[in-house]
Amino acid sequence: MRLSILLFFLLNLSLQAQNNYEINGRVIYENEGLPYVSVYINGTTIGTTTDDYGNFKLTRLSKGTYQITASFVGYKTVSKKINVTADIDGLTFNLEFDDSLDEIVVTGTLKPVSRLESPVPVEIYSPAFFKKNPTPNIFEALQNVNGVRPQLNCNVCNTGDIHINGLEGPYTSVLIDGLPTVSGLSTVYGLSGIPHSLTEQVEIVKGPASSLYGSEAVGGLINIITKLPENAPIIFADSYVTGWGEFNLDAGFKAQIGEKATMLFGSNYYNYSNPIDNNNDNFTDVTLQDRISVFNKWDFKREENRTFSVAGRFFYEDRWGGEMQWNKNFRGGSEIYGESIYTKRYEFLGIYQLPIDENVNFQFSYSDHDQNSVYGNTPYLAQQRIGFAQLIWDKPLKNHDLLFGAAMRYNYYNDNTTATIKADEITIPSLFVQDEITLSVWIKNYQAANHQKMVIKRTEDECEKITTEEEVETF
């Protein structure tokens, strides 16, 4: 009896040893370790991600031949066939940037998908595209994109909005990291002061996208995706000067804070203070500007690679235009005509993946925009606040890939004009469902539905109006 138990114990140890091999390796790019890369064995549930130095380990492997893949957004996927007969050390994957059409986009479906598989046509523009034609901000850089036109609504102060395929600015939604921090009063300012060095890519949808993003996206939308701190250079600086006297400086750095936090800091400074009147009409040809923007983003490392990142931005600008003799001593007067705008803006946004088994993300953003402006002797004082919160549940189910969402948006607007007797407050709750149905390897059907209920309130309960809007789109 004892002999039988001993033989059984030895046989069990032998079987465990046969299923206890491991593979140690590293993923690199240009001889530097690449963190947070997915490394997995095709056709199995075995996988892991690289650490901060690009190292990875696959454990509990039995003898056999495996197809091991290393995959990371923005890089070409690399696979290797490995025959495991013993522990393996030093397996290296050398990734390269992927410039093909099979890029990863988020805007079309509210989650990362291949650009080729996105049901909504999404155009992608990297910082390299904008550097070919340097501009002081993303707002002006968009003039290089076909079908997108920054529209100047004032020849003196040079404020404006963005038109897509000819539709007016209110029908174009502008997002930062997928969140609506820019709207109405702040379009030109929300897109100013974001350093190109901090921009991962700009995704543009030309055409209706309101089933997931609301009525503001009837004409299209622009989504500015900022870099993750771990993907940014340690120190960066970019500057240029033009013959007109424009000066622009982008600078920043990233830092590891403790073991679980990475911080990215960026700043932008733009100055143009050289009044020019080439057409001799005694008015400035180009608006004079003095602008500073500070951006800070934090990314936190969590268990099971769950997402948690927060970002904030402060923006201040002083711009003016008018008669060549104008200076700040004439602000608000009628003796010499000038238009002067002081803008102060705060933004805060983030994403947090809930610590549960299901893939549920909570996204949030808040912006506070204050504008103090005078047009000759006419003042225009306005404040706008936008709060947004959204829960998204991504649920794959057999040949269905379901996406459920619930969102709440709060808009506050007030100014000193007679058209706004009381401050406007708008609360917009909404629910949406998206289903990606895979009929075959080559055929996919997307369905999306959005239900919004708008509640508009004026202060002191002056009036209340409730409207309901429902949209359904099938791709």
Side-chain angles (χ1 to χ4, degrees), residues 96-124:
E96 298 178 355
F97 266 120
D98 186 4
D99 295 326
S100 67
L101 290 177
D102 195 19
E103 297 168 294
I104 301 299
V105 297
V106 180
T107 306
T109 58
L110 280 179
K111 60 181 180 180
V113 297
S114 166
R115 181 183 177 187
L116 294 178
E117 295 182 357
S118 175
V120 179
V122 180
E123 297 182 7
I124 301 175

Side-chain angles (χ1 to χ4, degrees), residues 46-107:
I46 300 175
T48 185
T49 57
T50 59
D51 61 18
D52 293 339
Y53 305 98
N55 301 314
F56 69 90
K57 177 187 290 187
L58 299 172
T59 59
R60 303 183 64 83
L61 303 177
S62 58
K63 287 185 178 181
T65 301
Y66 300 96
Q67 190 82 11
I68 303 177
T69 299
S71 175
F72 191 51
V73 174
Y75 294 81
K76 293 181 180 179
T77 300
V78 177
S79 297
K80 292 185 177 183
K81 185 175 289 187
I82 303 297
N83 185 25
V84 177
T85 58
D87 290 345
I88 297 176
D89 289 317
L91 179 61
T92 302
F93 289 88
N94 193 351
L95 301 192
E96 298 178 355
F97 266 120
D98 186 4
D99 295 326
S100 67
L101 290 177
D102 195 19
E103 297 168 294
I104 301 299
V105 297
V106 180
T107 306

Side-chain angles (χ1 to χ4, degrees), residues 99 125-134 196-197 199-201:
D99 295 326
Y125 298 92
S126 66
F129 172 84
F130 297 114
K131 284 185 178 181
K132 292 178 181 178
N133 296 282
H196 293 306
S197 303
T199 304
E200 184 74 32
Q201 62 189 37

